[in-house]
């Protein structure tokens, strides 16, 4: 029996004494790097893994104003982040086998901090060039936002693991422990960013705060390692000075980089722009998309064509001036509630808006006045309409969007059933939808609403119905015959562009064999894809 202490296996597989030396391929012996204290190793892995998830979550907010917040954008952010983690971990492991990890850890953290700081100006300048929904632009912008800092952070864990492997018999324990700590860091960062940071801070503060944290962590680690192992770490050099200057440049550019937001809410990059042709006109822009137009001096003024269509329906569905009970799924600039309050005094408007900061923006800049005739409830429209009493609304207006897409859970048959439950006999559901050729989503949404309402019509420009252009579409639905002729007559005098109301057999032909969307299956983003 071999009585020598357990140690590392040599090239022949024999076990020898464990000391501070390891064998290398050429037979020479070098001192093995000293392991980090377990608490320090755990902290580095926790911080690095969590930082990747903070960066990933915040990056979705950064790129949203330029390429939207769609399923494709979210998938791109996740995919690029995972690619960065994969390449970073592979590179970190490769370097750990060829260099002393103690010489690499601090520089990796400092460089990750610098790259994180540079993310802001890079995304904001590049975003102006790559603006739009093209797949190549989305992937490129997300890569510019995430890849390099995430890859540097992902390299931290294999470097730390290499330092902690002093005994091959404990490999599983060391790797498993550090992997679990990294996962806990990622979970903590995901929940903390989603529930706390995004609600409390603008994305600029989150990104710069993360950059400072990484930079300071790297500098503190460098000081510690230099004291623990004098001569192992290089002294500050011109490269170090250049990196420091680069970090300062990144922070400075972040301060002056253009931002499309007046207000950054938990859901939107929002701004209110004046109309150069109307001194009292205001345009609400969310994530660089026009969402509402408000005339501060004239609530009857409906600028967007689709709002004129809904206004025409509201005008003819009841005797002139008679008050209504109206529910609005999505608030935006509160254009339609203001219109109904002005044209039908005494109307009770209940607005479901998920973004409370958007409601406050409306109060400050868009003359939104809540009170007995206008009640704004902050929350998800699907949840809030479920709390509304049955048969309590004359009119339900669906105008909720995530960027330019109707949230999928507001587009299903189950949601249409909730709307039908809330509407009184003879009441009307008017739903705004945006689609582009080949018009797969609007066909499916009409089919979905028609699965719950016996009477359905569609208001849209003739060119859009023919499939030659994208546009707004307004679906009308009721349990009683719709006032189609009256709406058509009203539209003749109220709109500027050609518009058609389609119903009956013509609408059936337009819908054809489109699928009905359900909570189980509602591929809204895929139906909206133009290719």
């Amino acid at each position: 029996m071999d009585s020598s202490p357990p140690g590392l296996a040599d090239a022949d597989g024999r076990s020898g004494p464990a000391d501070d030396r390891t064998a290398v391929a050429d037979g020479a012996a070098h001192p093995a790097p000293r392991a980090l204290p377990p608490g320090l190793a755990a902290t580095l892995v926790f911080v690095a893994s969590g930082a990747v998830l903070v960066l990933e979550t915040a990056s979705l907010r950064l790129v949203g104003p330029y390429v939207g917040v769609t399923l494709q954008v979210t998938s791109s952010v996740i995919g690029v982040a995972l690619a960065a983690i994969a390449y970073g971990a592979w590179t970190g492991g490769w370097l750990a086998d060829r260099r002393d990890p103690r010489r690499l850890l601090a520089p990796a953290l400092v460089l990750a901090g610098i790259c994180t700081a540079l993310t802001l100006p890079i995304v904001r300048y590049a975003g102006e060039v790559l603006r739009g929904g093209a797949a190549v632009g989305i992937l490129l912008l997300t890569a510019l936002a995430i890849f390099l800092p995430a890859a540097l952070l992902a390299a931290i864990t294999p470097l730390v693991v290499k330092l902690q492997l002093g005994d091959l018999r404990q490999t599983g324990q060391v790797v498993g422990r550090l992997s679990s700590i990294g996962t806990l860091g990622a979970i903590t960062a995901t929940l903390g960013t989603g529930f706390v940071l995004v609600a409390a801070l603008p994305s600029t503060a989150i990104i710069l705060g993360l950059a400072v944290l990484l930079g300071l962590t790297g500098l503190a680690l460098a000081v510690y390692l230099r004291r623990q192992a004098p001569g192992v770490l290089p002294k500050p050099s011109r490269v170090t000075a250049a990196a420091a200057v680069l970090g300062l440049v990144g922070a400075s550019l972040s301060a002056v980089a253009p931002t499309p937001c007046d207000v950054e809410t938990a859901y939107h990059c929002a701004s209110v722009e004046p109309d150069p042709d109307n001194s009292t006109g205001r345009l609400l822009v969310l994530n660089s998309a026009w969402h509402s137009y408000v005339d501060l001096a004239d609530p009857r003024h409906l600028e967007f064509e689709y709002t004129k269509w809904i206004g025409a329906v509201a005008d003819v569905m009841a005797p002139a001036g008679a008050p209504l009970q109206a529910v609005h799924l999505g608030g935006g600039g509160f254009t339609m509630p203001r219109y109904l309050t002005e044209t039908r005094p005494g109307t009770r408007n209940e607005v479901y808006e998920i973004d409370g900061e958007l409601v406050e923006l409306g109060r400050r800049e868009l003359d939104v006045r809540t009170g007995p005739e206008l009640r704004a409830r902050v929350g998800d429209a699907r949840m809030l309409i479920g709390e509304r009493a049955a048969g309590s609304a004359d009119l339900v207006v669906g105008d909720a969007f995530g960027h330019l897409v109707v949230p999928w859970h507001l587009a299903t048959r189950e949601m249409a059933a909730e709307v039908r439950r809330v509407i009184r006999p003879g009441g009307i559901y008017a739903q705004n939808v945006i689609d582009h050729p080949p018009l797969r989503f609007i066909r499916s949404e009409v089919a979905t609403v028609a699965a719950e309402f016996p009477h359905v019509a569609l208001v849209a420009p003739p060119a859009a119905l023919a499939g030659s252009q994208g546009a707004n579409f307004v679906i009308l639905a009721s349990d009683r015959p719709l006032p189609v002729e009256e709406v058509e007559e009203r539209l003749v005098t109220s709109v500027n562009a050609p518009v058609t109301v389609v119903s009956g057999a013509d609408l059936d032909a337009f819908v054809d064999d489109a699928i009905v969307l359900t909570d189980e299956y509602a591929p809204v983003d895929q139906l909206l894809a133009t290719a």
Side-chain angles (χ1 to χ4, degrees):
M1 172 181 278
D2 187 352
S3 61
S4 61
L8 299 178
D10 63 18
D12 297 324
R14 295 173 294 182
S15 184
D19 58 15
D20 203 30
R21 305 167 72 83
T22 55
V24 293
D26 61 3
H30 300 285
R34 181 180 299 176
L36 297 173
L40 177 58
T43 299
L44 290 175
V45 171
F46 186 92
V47 169
S49 300
V52 173
L53 270 297
V54 173
L55 183 64
E56 179 181 338
T57 306
S59 292
L60 185 60
R61 305 289 305 283
L62 287 181
V63 304
Y66 306 102
V67 293
V69 185
T70 64
L71 179 62
Q72 286 77 13
V73 175
T74 303
S75 298
S76 296
V77 169
I78 295 172
V80 169
L82 289 174
I85 292 170
Y87 282 106
W90 183 87
T91 303
W94 184 85
L95 289 171
D97 288 339
R98 289 159 176 79
R99 299 286 188 273
D100 186 341
R102 292 175 297 179
R103 300 172 65 93
L104 301 174
L105 279 170
L109 285 167
V110 173
L111 283 175
I114 292 171
C115 291
T116 300
L118 288 170
T119 292
L120 286 169
I122 288 173
V123 169
R124 286 173 176 166
Y125 285 111
E128 297 295 336
V129 177
L130 299 173
R131 186 184 295 275
V136 173
I138 292 172
L139 287 169
L140 182 55
L141 193 60
T142 54
L144 290 171
I146 301 172
F147 189 85
L148 191 52
L152 287 164
L153 290 165
I156 299 298
T157 296
L159 293 172
V160 173
V161 168
K162 178 70 174 183
L163 280 174
Q164 303 310 100
L165 288 177
D167 186 343
L168 291 182
R169 295 180 309 168
Q170 298 180 355
T171 299
Q173 179 180 343
V174 170
V175 174
R177 176 174 174 269
L178 292 175
S179 295
S180 68
I181 289 171
T183 302
L184 287 173
I187 293 170
T188 302
T190 300
L191 297 177
T193 305
F195 283 89
V196 180
L197 293 182
V198 167
L201 298 171
S203 55
T204 299
I206 295 172
I207 293 294
L208 289 180
L210 179 62
V212 170
L213 173 64
L214 294 173
L216 292 178
T217 302
L219 293 174
L221 180 62
V223 172
Y224 170 82
L225 292 176
R226 186 168 288 112
R227 290 177 178 175
Q228 295 297 312
V232 173
L233 297 184
K235 295 181 178 180
S237 64
R238 292 180 179 178
V239 174
T240 306
V245 171
L246 185 60
L248 291 173
V249 170
S252 300
L253 287 175
S254 300
V256 300
T259 174
C261 312
D262 287 343
V263 176
E264 187 174 346
T265 75
Y267 295 90
H268 301 105
C269 166
S271 63
V272 175
E273 300 178 0
D275 182 353
D277 299 322
N278 179 4
S279 62
T280 58
R282 298 293 184 271
L283 186 66
L284 176 65
V285 182
L286 303 179
N287 295 327
S288 297
W290 294 357
H291 272 254
S292 299
Y293 184 98
V294 172
D295 191 322
L296 302 178
D298 183 8
R300 293 174 178 264
H301 180 187
L302 301 176
E303 181 73 14
F304 295 162
E305 291 298 305
Y306 86 89
T307 60
K308 296 176 182 178
W309 308 340
I310 297 174
V313 174
D315 289 344
V316 303
M317 67 176 292
L324 301 175
Q325 295 288 334
V327 175
H328 304 262
L329 312 179
F334 289 72
T335 303
M336 292 312 303
R338 293 176 78 247
Y339 178 82
L340 290 175
T341 299
E342 182 70 17
T343 59
R344 294 182 175 276
T347 291
R348 300 287 176 142
N349 295 282
E350 185 167 80
V351 179
Y352 303 149
E353 172 56 56
I354 197 169
D355 193 342
E357 292 176 83
L358 196 59
V359 176
E360 293 303 317
L361 179 65
R363 289 191 176 107
R364 290 196 307 271
E365 300 192 36
L366 298 176
D367 196 32
V368 173
R369 303 176 186 177
T370 53
E373 295 184 342
L374 175 56
R375 182 186 181 199
R377 297 188 63 191
V378 176
D380 188 286
R382 178 73 179 266
M383 302 298 102
L384 294 177
I385 198 170
E387 300 174 5
R388 177 105 182 179
S392 60
D394 301 299
L395 174 66
V396 174
V397 178
D399 196 14
F401 285 83
H403 193 53
L404 299 177
V405 180
V406 177
W408 73 268
H409 68 304
L410 302 183
T412 64
R413 181 172 183 173
E414 290 82 354
M415 178 60 182
E418 277 296 304
V419 174
R420 184 190 63 180
R421 179 188 65 81
V422 166
I423 289 181
R424 293 169 175 165
I428 294 177
Y429 178 33
Q431 182 188 8
N432 178 32
V433 173
I434 297 175
D435 199 5
H436 300 268
L439 305 181
R440 290 175 296 195
F441 176 55
I442 183 58
R443 296 176 197 272
S444 283
E445 189 59 13
V446 172
T448 299
V449 173
E452 290 295 327
F453 288 89
H455 301 280
V456 179
L458 182 64
V459 186
L465 291 168
S468 60
Q469 69 179 42
N472 289 86
F473 299 78
V474 171
I475 303 170
L476 305 179
S478 180
D479 64 341
R480 305 279 176 85
L482 290 161
V484 173
E485 293 183 0
E486 291 87 342
V487 171
E488 289 177 326
E489 292 176 0
R490 184 71 176 177
L491 290 173
V492 169
T493 59
S494 63
V495 302
N496 299 321
V499 62
T500 299
V501 182
V502 182
S503 60
D506 291 338
L507 186 59
D508 293 338
F510 174 79
V511 173
D512 197 18
D513 59 352
I515 63 171
V516 173
L517 305 177
T518 66
D519 285 352
E520 181 69 20
Y521 183 64
V524 171
D525 290 272
Q526 289 76 14
L527 291 171
L528 284 165
T530 57

